[in-house]
């Protein structure tokens, strides 16, 4: 027998602001540990379930529903190292996103330092663009093969034709390559620039993404702290404290 306070589905539902059906779904999905049952078949929850629910809801905000559920399922399957590996992977992905944002920010600064000269006319040939940038035509072909440039082709001759947007992209690639940026890090910067429609728009978009990234990082820290507390509770239960009643067969 345990004198630990029992909780009903509705008690947990009110705590999290969800429906009782959602609590049942969480238990069936392994987000919560197995619940005990009364003689009449009603689920019985305990402190461990409350802590698990709070940990999961905290993880949701930073890690998203899929990763948060996978973390909790791993914990309840006894695979704490696997759960922590999922946490590590999420933080590593966030770090990669920070690196990409940093590269985009530096690329804009590098582009701003460049002297663009007079605006290029439309319809430049590859040799003319190479002369503007001070590079070989082979460099432009390599960048094109890497998917960084996409000049149109002249009908009939098949010659490459560079419009002002193509020259802007080539100038940006050249600036980043001189700063030793690898090609795979330049591609997302160009994609962001094209999507935003210009340097000023991209700068605003980057600022918004950096702010969102900061908010997500803080949410992940909060979720990881809640998970840490829940794991500590489970360690205490394993050391002799009474845990949740086992599920009925």
């Amino acid at each position: 027998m345990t004198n630990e306070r029992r909780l009903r589905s509705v008690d947990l539902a009110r705590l999290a602001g969800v429906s009782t059906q959602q609590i049942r779904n969480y238990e069936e999905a392994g987000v919560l540990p197995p619940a005990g049952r009364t003689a009449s078949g009603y689920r019985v929850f305990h402190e461990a379930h409350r802590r698990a629910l709070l940990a999961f809801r905290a993880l949701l905000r930073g890690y998203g529903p899929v990763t948060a559920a996978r973390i909790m399922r791993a914990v309840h399957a006894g695979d704490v190292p696997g759960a922590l590996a999922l946490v590590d992977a999420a933080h590593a992905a966030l770090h990669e996103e920070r690196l990409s944002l940093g590269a985009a920010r530096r690329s804009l600064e590098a582009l701003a330092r460049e002297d663009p000269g007079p605006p290029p006319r439309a319809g430049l040939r590859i040799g003319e663009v190479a002369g503007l940038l001070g590079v070989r035509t082979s460099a432009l072909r390599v960048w094109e093969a890497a998917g960084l440039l996409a000049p149109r082709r002249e009908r009939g001759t098949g010659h490459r034709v560079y419009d002002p947007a193509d020259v802007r992209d080539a100038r940006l690639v050249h600036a980043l390559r001189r700063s030793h940026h690898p090609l795979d890090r330049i591609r997302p910067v160009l994609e962001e620039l094209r999507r935003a429609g210009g340097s000023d728009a991209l700068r605003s978009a980057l600022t918004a993404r950096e702010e969102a990234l900061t908010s997500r990082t803080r949410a992940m820290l909060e979720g990881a702290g809640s998970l840490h507390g829940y794991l500590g509770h489970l360690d205490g239960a394993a050391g002799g404290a009474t845990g949740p009643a086992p599920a009925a067969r």
Side-chain angles (χ1 to χ4, degrees), residues 67-84:
T67 300
R70 291 178 64 195
I71 291 170
M72 297 304 291
R73 281 197 294 267
V75 169
H76 297 141
D79 184 14
V80 173
L84 297 180

Side-chain angles (χ1 to χ4, degrees), residues 128-201:
E128 294 174 302
V129 176
L132 281 175
L133 270 61
V135 300
R136 296 180 179 180
T137 56
S138 59
L140 293 171
R141 293 190 181 95
V142 168
W143 300 342
E144 182 180 345
L148 302 179
L149 302 178
R152 58 187 174 88
R153 294 288 183 143
E154 188 176 67
R155 186 174 298 177
T157 66
H159 291 156
R160 294 171 176 83
V161 179
Y162 293 79
D163 289 325
D166 300 311
V167 176
R168 176 205 63 193
D169 291 350
R171 194 184 304 279
L172 178 57
V173 173
H174 181 44
L176 291 176
R177 289 299 290 157
R178 286 190 303 179
S179 299
H180 308 291
H181 282 73
L183 296 179
D184 60 347
R185 287 215 178 271
I186 296 175
R187 187 179 298 106
V189 174
L190 282 171
E191 290 171 352
E192 289 286 355
L193 183 62
R194 292 163 184 158
R195 187 181 301 114
S199 298
D200 290 340

Side-chain angles (χ1 to χ4, degrees), residues 13-249:
R14 288 170 180 164
L15 176 67
V18 299
S19 67
T20 54
Q21 180 58 54
Q22 188 63 64
I23 295 298
R24 291 192 286 269
N25 292 343
Y26 284 162
E27 192 232 345
E28 291 170 0
V31 168
L32 301 180
R37 300 279 182 153
T38 65
S40 54
Y42 289 105
R43 289 174 173 83
V44 178
F45 299 101
H46 296 277
E47 177 63 14
H49 298 95
R50 187 187 74 84
R51 289 175 178 262
L53 178 61
L54 291 176
F56 175 67
R57 299 294 292 183
L59 288 169
L60 272 177
R61 292 187 285 273
Y63 296 84
V66 175
T67 300
R70 291 178 64 195
I71 291 170
M72 297 304 291
R73 281 197 294 267
V75 169
H76 297 141
D79 184 14
V80 173
L84 297 180
L86 291 169
V87 172
D88 291 343
H91 284 270
L94 200 69
H95 178 63
E96 282 298 313
E97 190 171 350
R98 280 193 187 281
L99 292 179
S100 295
L101 285 175
R105 181 72 73 182
R106 288 191 298 274
S107 72
L108 287 178
E109 294 169 356
L111 191 61
R113 290 193 297 269
E114 291 284 309
D115 179 11
R121 61 178 172 81
L124 294 179
R125 297 292 179 86
I126 188 170
E128 294 174 302
V129 176
L132 281 175
L133 270 61
V135 300
R136 296 180 179 180
T137 56
S138 59
L140 293 171
R141 293 190 181 95
V142 168
W143 300 342
E144 182 180 345
L148 302 179
L149 302 178
R152 58 187 174 88
R153 294 288 183 143
E154 188 176 67
R155 186 174 298 177
T157 66
H159 291 156
R160 294 171 176 83
V161 179
Y162 293 79
D163 289 325
D166 300 311
V167 176
R168 176 205 63 193
D169 291 350
R171 194 184 304 279
L172 178 57
V173 173
H174 181 44
L176 291 176
R177 289 299 290 157
R178 286 190 303 179
S179 299
H180 308 291
H181 282 73
L183 296 179
D184 60 347
R185 287 215 178 271
I186 296 175
R187 187 179 298 106
V189 174
L190 282 171
E191 290 171 352
E192 289 286 355
L193 183 62
R194 292 163 184 158
R195 187 181 301 114
S199 298
D200 290 340
L202 176 56
R203 190 172 286 106
S204 297
L206 290 176
T207 298
R209 284 181 58 189
E210 287 165 350
E211 291 172 352
L213 207 61
T214 297
S215 296
R216 187 178 170 210
T217 300
R218 296 187 66 168
M220 290 174 76
L221 287 174
E222 181 182 358
S226 187
L227 176 65
H228 175 70
Y230 177 53
L231 292 176
H233 175 81
L234 294 181
D235 289 342
T242 304
R249 295 182 179 275

